[in-house]
């Protein structure tokens, strides 16, 4: 079912997670592979960079996109030391990554106080009932950019 290469990439993600912990970051690492070549790497640097979006998978996506000079990671596979959180899973989908392999599970992460269950519960609620209310406003000002985008002939769709 798994190849030796799959284990090699996951071991690298695990080592990156361990190095991240040793260097003051969170216990997560990720590697992105295309056609048998590593094109992106990332470790959790939330506390190091003071950036709540600096999860391993997001950092690996940024690194891979920079390396490939593309916003699309179609044809790529990500190896993450842990099951991706909702933010990272969304980023993986937006990037177009084809497949996710992960090591630790959501339950493993929750056991060390990295729980995503609150976010999953919040997403299931109506917007106005969430802990951080999401309140729509009239779009008189904001719709213009959408109209410009629609009319633009040379847009790069994604």
């Amino acid at each position: 079912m798994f190849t030796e290469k799959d284990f090699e990439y996951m071991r690298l993600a695990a080592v990156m997670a361990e190095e991240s912990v040793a260097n003051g970051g969170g216990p997560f690492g990720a590697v992105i592979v295309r056609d048998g070549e590593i094109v992106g790497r990332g470790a959790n640097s939330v506390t190091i960079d003071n950036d709540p979006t600096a999860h391993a998978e997001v950092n690996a996506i940024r690194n891979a996109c920079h390396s490939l000079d593309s916003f699309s990671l179609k044809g790529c596979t990500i190896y993450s030391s842990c099951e991706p959180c909702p933010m990272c899973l969304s980023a993986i989908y937006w990037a177009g990554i084809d497949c996710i392999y992960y090591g630790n599970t959501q339950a493993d992460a929750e056991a060390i106080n990295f729980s995503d269950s609150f976010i999953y519960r919040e997403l299931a609620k109506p917007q106005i009932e969430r802990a951080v209310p999401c309140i729509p406003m009239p779009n008189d000002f904001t719709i213009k950019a959408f109209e410009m985008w629609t009319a633009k002939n040379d847009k790069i769709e994604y």
Side-chain angles (χ1 to χ4, degrees), residues 38-57:
I38 295 172
V39 295
R41 302 165 188 248
N44 181 288
S45 61
V46 168
T47 56
I48 294 167
D49 295 337
N50 292 318
D51 179 353
T53 68
H55 290 200
E57 297 91 340

Side-chain angles (χ1 to χ4, degrees), residues 126-139:
Q127 292 177 337
I128 198 72
E129 294 177 17
R130 294 178 183 165
V132 179
C134 189
I135 304 164
M137 292 180 62
N139 68 348

Side-chain angles (χ1 to χ4, degrees), residues 32-87:
I32 298 176
V33 176
R34 178 185 278 169
D35 298 327
E37 178 184 345
I38 295 172
V39 295
R41 302 165 188 248
N44 181 288
S45 61
V46 168
T47 56
I48 294 167
D49 295 337
N50 292 318
D51 179 353
T53 68
H55 290 200
E57 297 91 340
V58 172
N59 285 340
I61 288 168
R62 290 173 179 157
N63 182 250
C65 288
H66 179 77
S67 295
L68 296 171
D69 194 28
S70 175
F71 60 82
S72 174
L73 297 180
K74 292 201 182 307
C76 292
T77 298
I78 189 166
Y79 294 83
S80 178
S81 65
C82 187
E83 187 174 357
C85 74
M87 177 185 69

